[in-house]
Every structure is written in C-alpha cells, then in structure tokens.
C-alpha cells in the first residue's frame, strides 16, 4: 500500500468541561467526517480530559477517520504549565479492543500510543503556539493560542 497524506480541516474551537478545545479533523474523504462519528467522538471527550491544575485550560484534539471502519479521537491537554497530557478513544477497530466495527461506538483503550503519522502533524505546531502565546508573554494569551491553528490542507508535505 502506497502512503498518501490525508486531508486536514480545522473546525472552530469548542468548550468542553471548562476546557477550551482546538480541533483538527483528519480523513481521506473530501466530504469530511460524518456528523454521527463527530457527535459520538465529542460525546466521549469529557472522559479524556484531565482535572484542572491551574494551567490555562486548553486542549487540542485530532479526530481521525480511518480508511476502514476505524475512528480515533486523540486529546492532548496542557497541564503542569508546559506538559502535554494524552488520552485517546477508538471506535470501529476490533484490533484495539473495540467491541464492533461501528465508527460511532467509542471506547478508551489503555494503550501507550500517542497517534499515527496522520495524527501527529498538529503536535509540533501546538507546541510552538503554546510557547508563543502562553509561556513567553508576561500574561498568558489563551485567546491568541486558540486562534493560532495549523493551516487546513493536508496532514503533511512530502515535497
């Protein structure tokens, strides 16, 4: 199977459980992620978020619809000032412990994985945006951080 980048879209931020959430969607389908998959993913999101610890309450997520039945939600939350906390959820992928192939039936497997090659591109951008807007200024600028997203397009550039 030849490798191909996937499409990356950036829906507007949302607020969940008191955290402000930047969102990235990854799929090979030009129509985007189906609304029922998106709704199911964001319904499980509160289970993936850490408790408040005084760090500006920000998270970024990558919702990835695989080329098969799989759907994946990776939640990366800023904690302890400059540490990235990770929790993930999966649906439709029996090899990960999902009970069926339903891409809306999310579970939270206990795996040490932080993302696949299509899910990782936002991490570097988000690290740099956190430093720029939260760690470097005298006063953290959470709104500035939330407005600073990786541009839409594809998950990477192989040129």
């Amino acid at each position: 199977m030849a490798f191909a980048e996937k499409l990356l879209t950036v829906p507007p931020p949302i607020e969940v459980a008191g955290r402000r959430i930047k969102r990235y969607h990854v799929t090979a389908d030009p129509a985007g992620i189906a609304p029922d998959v998106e709704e199911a993913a964001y319904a499980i999101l509160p289970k993936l978020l850490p408790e408040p610890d005084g760090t500006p309450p920000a998270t970024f997520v990558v919702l990835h619809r695989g080329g098969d039945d799989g759907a994946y939600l990776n939640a990366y939350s800023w904690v302890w000032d400059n540490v990235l906390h990770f929790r993930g959820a999966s649906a439709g992928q029996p090899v990960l412990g999902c009970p069926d192939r339903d891409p809306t039936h999310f579970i939270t497997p206990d795996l040490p994985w932080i993302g696949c090659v299509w899910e990782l591109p936002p991490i570097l951008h988000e690290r740099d945006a956190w430093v720029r807007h939260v760690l470097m200024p005298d006063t953290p600028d959470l709104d500035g951080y939330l407005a600073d997203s990786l541009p839409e397009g594809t998950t990477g550039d192989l040129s």
Side-chain angles (χ1 to χ4, degrees), residues 109-130:
D110 187 23
L111 295 170
W113 304 345
I114 65 165
C116 74
V117 296
W118 295 287
E119 298 161 355
L120 295 176
I123 293 175
L124 177 59
H125 175 85
E126 293 301 319
R127 178 260 182 216
D128 291 345
W130 190 254

Side-chain angles (χ1 to χ4, degrees), residues 8 22-26 33 42 60-64 72-76 118-123:
L8 177 76
K22 292 170 73 169
R23 302 184 297 159
Y24 295 98
H25 289 183
V26 173
I33 294 179
Y42 291 120
F60 64 95
V61 297
V62 179
L63 176 56
H64 177 191
Y72 315 93
L73 180 65
N74 296 343
Y76 306 94
W118 295 287
E119 298 161 355
L120 295 176
I123 293 175

